[in-house]
Amino acid sequence: MNSLQRHPVDAHSNRPTEFDAVVAGAGFAGLYMLHRLRELGLSVRVFEMGDGVGGTWYWNRYPGARCDVESMQYSYSWSEELQQEWQWTERYPAQAEILRYINHVADRFDLRRDIQLETAVTAARYDENIERWLVETDRGDRVSAKFLIMATGCLSAARVPDMKGLEYFRGKWYHTGDWPHEPVDFTGQRVALIGTGSSGIQAAPVIAAQAAHLYVFQRTPNFTIPAWNEPLPAEKQKEWKKNYAEHRRKARDTRSGILYEYSQRGAFDVSEEERQREFEARWARGGANFTHAFNDLFLSKKSNDTAAEFVRNKIRSIVRDPKVAELLCPHNHPIGTKRICVDTDYYKTFNRDNVTLVDIRHSPIEEITPSGLCTRDGKYELDSLVFATGYDAVTGSILRIDVRGRGGRVLAEKWAEGPRTYLGLMTAGFPNFFIITGPGSPSVLTNVVVSIEQHVEWIAACLRHMKENQEDVIEATPHAENHWVEHVNEVAEKTLFPSANSWYMGANIPGKPRVFLPYVGGFNNYSKICNEVVAENYRGFTFG
Ligand code: N01
């Protein structure tokens, strides 16, 4: 018997060391998982790196941080009381409001007593003799659990690129995904913003309004659609809440888990005038709804080009300096194949006298100097650097934990050529190890809260099934996994997605295998498959 088994309580801390389940992460996924595990009567310990709950919304406190899914949809649906009582204030929720919401959930459902903060899971080893996971943390915890559930988030391993000289920079530097908790004041400063994905595009207008000068260092321009964010009137909310369950049901029956106006027409089913009218109308309504103007925008390059050119023309009409406008126009990927951004005044920001766009595609950053940075062709004196350079997405937060399954097999080695999962939920050779919104599931292509709920509910139902049938171990078969990986790739290949060098493809991390990480077959189809698997007695899984 392992020592952990003999000492169910740690002698020093007096804390229990044996649980039915350990959950890594206390964001949207970890909190709901905890709630459902408790309902099953299981003992649970959640380990969370931050000193508060909230995951992404705990870390991403950068200026302008806001969700690009509307408030009424980016929230839990599993408690009617909760969704009725919580009042949102804006069409798109700001980071602080989402963090307040998630803290409210933690209190309302009394979740905190099973969450250990400021504690990162560092290693987990499956002990086949006792059929338990032995979990270690950076705080020296050594605990065992029958089930180990990764609720580590798809976009939580922030990445600062290797930049020569960064350690000698005399000013302050920040990453959007690991922002300080105290306010950062850029007043009077010369600030560099490196990166123009969703984070950089949201941060630029806010930093520009404060800083003496903002330099935006752009390697690849991205497409962004205006949010037209606005206050959310109480009346409108009340109306929505009358049919909340029905709205949620409809959303779950869509490809992205979000209520957009999904067109049934292809871009060339209509005349040029009608196409432009449709794009204009969607631009005026704002948000990612734009990319659903026609049903073939992700499938046909020719159709996609019409949407891309519409946005490029918008950029040309907003940005006064034609050279700057042209530099902001994306040409190297179809619109939407890199995550579409949703902004507030991004393009207008480049009309300000205190903002300079720097093209680092043609003149790359060579080094950070003590007082700024040098590109191949220029030298910039700076007080602060802001990295909006993204994440080791989807797999990064799992693989930074040393996970070892049957026979001591290392997960990072198993996934060396790209992640392999069955349904994005489990990976063969790693029994009782679940991933919430893992690679091979729709996750980041959807309203992630909807995907989280579906995974949590699937896992909870599975554990209930095991309890009722006195099963101790569940595992994905290699055969089912191979099929699923093939299917995930096959579906992705039919779309334009793999043509972009995006983080969806792992292309932003040097050395990361080029594999399309999420499942693009649609949330509605995917959840149907998950239900069928259950109905067919957990097809592709073995129990023991
Ligand atoms: O990160 P990104 P993000 N030198 O990877 C550049 C979600 N999110 O944090 O494209 C110079 O998209 C990189 O350039 P390139 C959302 O899912 C949601 O912005 O690799 N530049 C790119 O411009 C989103 O997609 C919300 O050439 C470098 C940028 O940094 C995801 O999070 C808000 C570089 C990184 O863009 C990630 O978004 C924020 C280097 N060495 C985030 N390395 C909302 O809900 C990278 N770049 C609204």
Side-chain angles (χ1 to χ4, degrees):
M1 190 181 257
N2 182 279
S3 62
L4 288 167
Q5 288 276 290
R6 272 185 264 119
H7 301 285
V9 172
D10 183 279
H12 298 293
S13 64
N14 210 26
R15 285 201 292 243
T17 56
E18 280 184 22
F19 301 94
D20 294 320
V22 159
V23 177
F28 269 91
L31 291 188
Y32 184 33
M33 193 74 248
L34 168 59
H35 180 67
R36 296 303 294 250
L37 293 170
R38 273 198 194 155
E39 281 181 347
L40 292 172
L42 302 181
S43 63
V44 189
R45 169 57 39 101
V46 179
F47 292 114
E48 164 56 50
M49 280 168 75
D51 71 1
V53 300
T56 288
W57 302 104
Y58 169 91
W59 298 105
N60 279 267
R61 297 167 190 245
Y62 61 86
R66 186 179 292 286
C67 187
D68 55 9
V69 177
E70 297 190 12
S71 301
M72 298 309 288
Q73 301 197 51
Y74 194 85
S75 49
Y76 289 128
S77 71
W78 47 268
S79 161
E80 179 61 14
E81 296 77 21
L82 173 67
Q83 68 180 7
Q84 288 297 333
E85 75 198 13
W86 184 264
Q87 293 294 319
W88 295 101
T89 64
E90 293 178 279
R91 176 178 173 189
Y92 292 98
Q95 171 271 333
E97 187 162 22
I98 305 174
L99 193 59
R100 269 200 304 283
Y101 167 78
I102 201 153
N103 272 286
H104 168 76
V105 173
D107 291 330
R108 196 189 187 291
F109 296 92
D110 186 25
L111 299 175
R112 296 188 197 275
R113 62 190 155 86
D114 290 324
I115 303 172
Q116 187 174 320
L117 297 173
E118 292 185 274
T119 310
V121 172
T122 51
R125 179 168 66 80
Y126 186 68
D127 185 328
E128 290 175 65
N129 297 321
I130 55 170
E131 294 179 333
R132 290 177 75 81
W133 283 92
L134 309 178
V135 179
E136 297 180 15
T137 75
D138 62 350
R139 287 300 185 99
D141 300 276
R142 302 279 182 276
V143 306
S144 87
K146 188 164 163 181
F147 301 104
L148 175 58
I149 302 169
M150 295 285 111
T152 41
C154 294
L155 294 156
S156 39
R159 180 182 161 267
V160 179
D162 276 340
M163 286 213 176
K164 190 175 149 206
L166 181 57
E167 66 273 33
Y168 303 115
F169 182 60
R170 280 198 301 263
K172 290 208 168 136
W173 66 265
Y174 310 89
H175 189 287
T176 49
D178 188 8
W179 201 260
H181 289 201
E182 48 297 336
V184 176
D185 187 1
F186 291 117
T187 306
Q189 293 195 13
R190 298 154 302 176
V191 181
L193 175 65
I194 302 170
T196 50
S198 299
S199 305
I201 280 173
Q202 287 188 328
V206 185
I207 299 177
Q210 197 179 54
H213 202 95
L214 174 68
Y215 297 90
V216 177
F217 291 86
Q218 173 189 273
R219 189 163 70 180
T220 312
N222 218 333
F223 292 97
T224 175
I225 309 294
W228 308 125
N229 185 42
E230 59 189 0
L232 186 58
E235 264 319 298
K236 209 169 169 183
Q237 261 183 94
K238 213 168 140 191
E239 264 313 296
W240 186 273
K241 286 179 178 177
K242 276 190 197 156
N243 298 310
Y244 225 146
E246 182 59 8
H247 293 313
R248 301 286 198 188
R249 190 195 61 70
K250 282 189 179 148
R252 281 193 288 266
D253 197 22
T254 65
R255 301 183 63 74
S256 60
I258 306 175
L259 289 171
Y260 289 132
E261 301 157 283
Y262 296 91
S263 171
Q264 302 303 322
R265 305 179 300 182
F268 288 96
D269 292 343
V270 301
S271 66
E272 166 70 15
E273 294 74 46
E274 169 120 33
R275 205 161 45 238
Q276 293 305 315
R277 218 175 16 248
E278 186 62 32
F279 287 141
E280 275 298 350
R282 288 186 183 242
W283 180 272
R285 286 199 285 282
N289 185 43
F290 181 86
T291 57
H292 301 285
F294 296 100
N295 65 4
D296 56 354
L297 297 182
F298 292 98
L299 303 173
S300 152
K301 174 76 168 56
K302 194 169 159 225
S303 296
N304 188 287
D305 284 343
T306 64
E309 190 56 18
F310 176 88
V311 175
R312 286 191 286 263
N313 283 333
K314 282 289 178 197
I315 299 171
R316 292 170 187 132
S317 73
I318 298 168
V319 179
R320 284 198 290 269
D321 181 333
K323 274 201 195 120
V324 175
E326 227 29 66
L327 203 51
L328 286 166
C329 284
H331 286 282
N332 81 342
H333 63 281
I335 184 169
T337 56
K338 280 186 163 201
R339 162 70 173 247
I340 192 86
C341 304
V342 176
D343 71 282
T344 296
D345 295 339
Y346 179 64
Y347 294 124
K348 256 166 81 178
T349 297
F350 294 93
N351 291 334
R352 295 178 65 111
D353 294 337
N354 71 332
V355 175
T356 306
L357 181 65
V358 185
D359 175 11
I360 53 170
R361 167 72 58 194
H362 296 105
S363 177
I365 295 173
E366 291 194 327
E367 68 175 319
I368 310 288
T369 65
S371 61
L373 67 76
C374 289
T375 63
R376 198 184 59 201
D377 303 317
K379 196 163 179 272
Y380 300 84
E381 294 295 310
L382 301 163
D383 302 298
S384 292
L385 304 177
V386 175
F387 290 98
T389 45
Y391 300 86
D392 183 353
V394 184
T395 52
S397 63
I398 302 168
L399 293 181
R400 65 186 168 186
I401 301 171
D402 178 10
V403 181
R404 293 166 191 243
R406 267 191 208 290
R409 189 160 189 207
V410 178
L411 185 61
E413 287 171 9
K414 178 180 172 183
W415 286 4
E417 304 295 314
R420 303 187 69 77
T421 69
Y422 180 37
L423 301 171
L425 276 162
M426 296 197 86
T427 184
F430 294 74
N432 290 358
F433 174 79
F434 295 94
I435 308 166
I436 300 175
T437 63
S441 75
S443 65
V444 289
L445 298 176
T446 66
N447 175 354
V448 81
V449 183
V450 173
S451 283
I452 284 169
E453 289 190 336
Q454 186 255 340
H455 266 192
V456 167
E457 285 159 17
W458 193 96
I459 294 167
C462 173
L463 300 196
R464 183 183 296 279
H465 170 89
M466 289 175 72
K467 200 172 168 186
E468 286 168 0
N469 292 279
Q470 284 150 30
E471 304 286 11
D472 286 320
V473 179
I474 178 171
E475 194 171 347
T477 67
H479 179 74
E481 180 171 289
N482 290 342
H483 269 283
W484 185 251
V485 171
E486 261 172 45
H487 176 61
V488 169
N489 291 332
E490 208 175 77
V491 178
E493 287 304 328
K494 287 186 188 143
T495 71
L496 298 173
F497 279 101
S499 63
N501 283 327
S502 65
W503 61 256
Y504 293 143
M505 290 290 291
N508 63 327
I509 303 292
K512 190 167 174 170
R514 291 280 180 114
V515 174
F516 193 72
L517 295 167
Y519 176 60
V520 74
F523 174 81
N524 45 357
N525 300 323
Y526 169 81
S527 46
K528 217 180 278 164
I529 296 170
C530 291
N531 293 343
E532 282 163 12
V533 163
V534 174
E536 290 170 36
N537 211 8
Y538 288 88
R539 183 185 74 216
F541 291 99
T542 55
F543 289 98

